[in-house]
Amino acid sequence: GQIGVGIITGIEIISEVAQGYEGNEKLAELLALGSITAGANAVKFQLVYADELATPDYMYYDLFKSLEMQLSEWSKICSMIRENDKLVYFDVFGKKSLDVALELGADGVKLSTTEFYNTSLFSDALSSFDRVFLSVGGIPVDDIDSKLADLSVKEKQKVLLMYGFQSEPTPLDQNNLNKIRLLRKRYPDFRIGFMDHSDGGSKDSIYLPLVALGVGLDAIEKHITLDHNLEIEDYVSGLTPTMFSNFTSTVRRFEKVFGPNSLDLSQLEEEYRKKATKSVVALRDIGKGETLTEESVSLKRSSIGIVDGSVLDIDYVLGKTLNQDILENHQIMEDMV
């Protein structure tokens, strides 16, 4: 386990199968394969054991029971994902699923909002895995503060806070992406991700993550499904593999627009500056020994652009004496006065 954690560059795209595999090994394989071909960095499943999640009289207990799969089935799926150089993550809901994820060599685990207050599970996850996703969607900020307050530097490096919530689908105006910006400011030592639950059948499912990139993301979690018409579990926010591929390529194209985290000029910006900026030029032929005035010099663009020694501030030369002859429209360089 723990392979490949350091190889991700740029924004991590997580294909969220969730419960969409419906306890069927073949369906799980197809969704994993769709995630791989679509270019996701990682594939994530909910590792469900009914008795970890609910009491037998709970309305979805039988559904949870139907999602249980054998270790050998999961092992086969994990091997296929790893053979394609992708990461494997699991949502865990207790000690059993955490132990199974560890036995399967998962690259990380996620604690959903369901498990946010499960202190021992969070602690065990941090001691067992190098990457722990913690959902903070629907969690009061005071509780997040308390959860993160006593973590060590090493533990902080493992945690990626995931914001977002599922409202099947979440209405566009309820995504509250400003919270991501505020989370980044409040928790500067942590990476931040967005769990996108927009309508998988609409263009919003492509546009919303692009908007989210603008507030600063380290990861995007996106549901995948085979076909919306099949209405497979967790399909509402899911993209088909073809749509997911389009989503991935779109994110990869636009994540580049942010560039480095620096105010230094890039090479192209420097070239632009040199072409666009005015420099001091002679308004007429000026002889050696002449004092420069606003009547004899001005700021203009010139054919040679900005080069070493160009004068960009006219006050630098005004009132100074020229030490050589200069022709009209030629630049007056720093060493000429």
Side-chain angles (χ1 to χ4, degrees):
Q2 309 301 310
I3 64 166
V5 169
I7 64 174
I8 296 172
T9 57
I11 294 166
E12 181 175 9
I13 296 177
I14 304 166
S15 178
E16 166 70 304
V17 177
Q19 298 177 10
Y21 61 96
E22 295 189 336
N24 183 302
E25 180 187 4
K26 187 61 180 176
L27 185 53
E29 287 181 4
L30 287 172
L31 288 164
L33 186 60
S35 305
I36 291 164
T37 58
N41 296 109
V43 188
K44 187 167 74 63
F45 298 88
Q46 290 188 10
L47 191 54
V48 174
Y49 296 99
D51 290 322
E52 276 193 329
L53 269 170
T55 58
D57 59 348
Y58 181 67
M59 61 187 296
Y60 294 122
Y61 180 85
D62 290 340
L63 168 64
F64 295 153
K65 201 71 180 172
S66 72
L67 293 168
E68 296 180 7
M69 293 204 322
Q70 297 297 316
L71 186 67
S72 59
E73 295 175 311
W74 281 124
S75 182
K76 183 179 177 182
I77 292 164
C78 290
S79 295
M80 181 189 72
I81 295 170
R82 281 200 203 86
E83 287 166 4
N84 286 276
D85 298 321
K86 306 298 182 182
L87 304 179
V88 182
Y89 300 140
F90 288 104
D91 280 79
V92 293
F93 302 95
K95 181 168 175 51
K96 180 175 181 177
S97 52
L98 183 73
D99 288 345
V100 170
L102 195 58
E103 188 172 350
L104 289 168
D107 297 289
V109 293
K110 178 182 172 187
L111 274 65
S112 67
T113 299
T114 299
E115 300 302 328
F116 181 87
Y117 296 98
N118 193 334
T119 303
S120 62
L121 183 62
F122 185 49
S123 178
D124 289 345
L126 285 172
S127 63
S128 302
F129 291 92
D130 289 337
R131 185 163 290 206
V132 178
F133 298 87
L134 180 65
S135 174
V136 294
I139 303 296
V141 70
D142 289 346
D143 292 348
I144 302 174
D145 285 346
S146 298
K147 191 80 171 180
L148 304 179
D150 297 326
L151 297 185
S152 68
V153 172
K154 185 177 180 181
E155 288 172 331
K156 288 177 181 179
Q157 292 172 345
K158 292 183 176 186
V159 175
L160 201 153
L161 304 177
M162 299 295 290
Y163 172 74
F165 63 98
Q166 173 67 283
S167 190
E168 297 193 84
T170 303
L172 201 58
D173 63 351
Q174 293 300 308
N175 280 278
N176 302 319
L177 294 183
N178 272 333
K179 288 189 177 180
I180 296 174
R181 178 175 54 81
L182 295 171
L183 287 168
R184 291 197 78 90
K185 185 176 181 180
R186 192 177 187 93
Y187 309 113
D189 297 331
F190 294 86
R191 289 166 294 160
I192 306 288
F194 176 48
M195 299 179 292
D196 176 18
H197 294 102
S198 54
D199 184 349
S202 76
K203 290 182 179 179
D204 292 347
S205 62
I206 301 294
Y207 298 149
L208 178 61
L210 294 182
V211 175
L213 295 185
V215 292
L217 292 180
D218 297 290
I220 299 176
E221 179 185 294
K222 191 81 164 173
H223 281 255
I224 191 168
T225 191
L226 292 184
D227 188 319
H228 291 109
N229 292 325
L230 297 177
E231 297 190 359
I232 296 168
E233 191 71 25
D234 281 326
Y235 79 96
V236 175
S237 297
L239 300 179
T240 65
T242 299
M243 294 171 66
F244 206 113
S245 181
N246 181 36
F247 159 73
T248 301
S249 62
T250 303
V251 170
R252 293 295 174 231
R253 176 174 173 79
F254 282 95
E255 70 177 338
K256 299 174 185 175
V257 305
F258 295 99
N261 190 28
S262 169
L263 289 175
D264 293 340
L265 296 184
S266 68
Q267 181 179 339
L268 284 179
E269 285 175 318
E270 186 64 39
E271 290 174 5
Y272 167 73
R273 182 182 76 90
K274 289 179 177 180
K275 291 176 182 177
T277 306
K278 292 178 177 180
S279 59
V280 176
V281 300
L283 292 176
R284 55 175 172 78
D285 292 349
I286 308 173
K288 179 180 177 181
E290 191 171 335
T291 299
L292 301 177
T293 67
E294 290 181 351
E295 286 70 40
S296 60
V297 296
S298 182
L299 284 169
K300 294 185 180 183
R301 289 185 182 181
S302 73
S303 59
I304 64 171
I306 302 302
V307 296
D308 288 344
S310 292
V311 179
L312 309 183
D313 183 357
I314 197 169
D315 288 337
Y316 178 82
V317 301
L318 291 177
K320 292 184 179 178
T321 303
L322 198 62
N323 60 27
Q324 64 184 73
D325 293 339
I326 189 79
L327 297 176
E328 182 181 358
N329 291 325
H330 281 219
Q331 276 197 43
I332 297 175
M333 314 304 284
E334 290 178 356
D335 61 1
M336 292 181 182
V337 295

